[in-house]
């Protein structure tokens, strides 16, 4: 998958997570039962955390991947 398409998917995912967090926040505010409201708030926190993590991944440039072995031959070490 190319970088542009991957970034677009990550942006969509981040937006979706923020929308879910907003939805659960509205439910938590309107909930009459404090215990239920607290459970909903935990979901809000979780979705906001995931959305922030997804947004951070979008903003950070991709780090170059180093191969597990440099010369094409895996190193074997005997102890």
């Amino acid at each position: 998958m190319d970088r542009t398409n991957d970034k677009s998917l990550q942006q969509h995912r981040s937006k979706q997570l923020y929308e879910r967090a907003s939805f659960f926040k509205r439910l938590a505010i309107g909930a009459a039962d404090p215990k239920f409201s607290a459970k909903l708030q935990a979901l809000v926190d979780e979705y906001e955390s995931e959305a922030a993590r997804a947004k951070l991944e979008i903003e950070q440039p991709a780090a170059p991947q180093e191969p597990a072995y440099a010369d094409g031959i895996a190193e074997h070490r005997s102890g």
Side-chain angles (χ1 to χ4, degrees), residues 6-74:
D6 187 40
K7 186 174 181 179
S8 176
L9 288 173
Q10 287 177 331
Q11 287 173 337
H12 177 72
R13 177 78 175 142
S14 177
K15 181 181 176 188
Q16 188 179 45
L17 289 166
Y18 277 121
E19 288 173 353
R20 287 181 183 172
S22 177
F23 173 77
F24 282 112
K25 187 179 284 188
R26 288 191 310 269
L27 284 177
I29 291 169
D33 183 11
K35 289 181 182 180
F36 185 61
S37 181
K39 288 179 182 181
L40 290 172
Q41 187 58 46
L43 286 174
V44 170
D45 295 341
E46 184 177 332
Y47 278 122
E48 286 179 342
S49 174
E50 284 294 319
R53 189 174 304 124
K55 187 176 181 181
L56 185 63
E57 287 178 7
I58 294 167
E59 294 170 354
Q60 289 181 343
Q65 297 285 330
E66 290 188 27
Y69 43 89
D71 61 355
I73 301 172

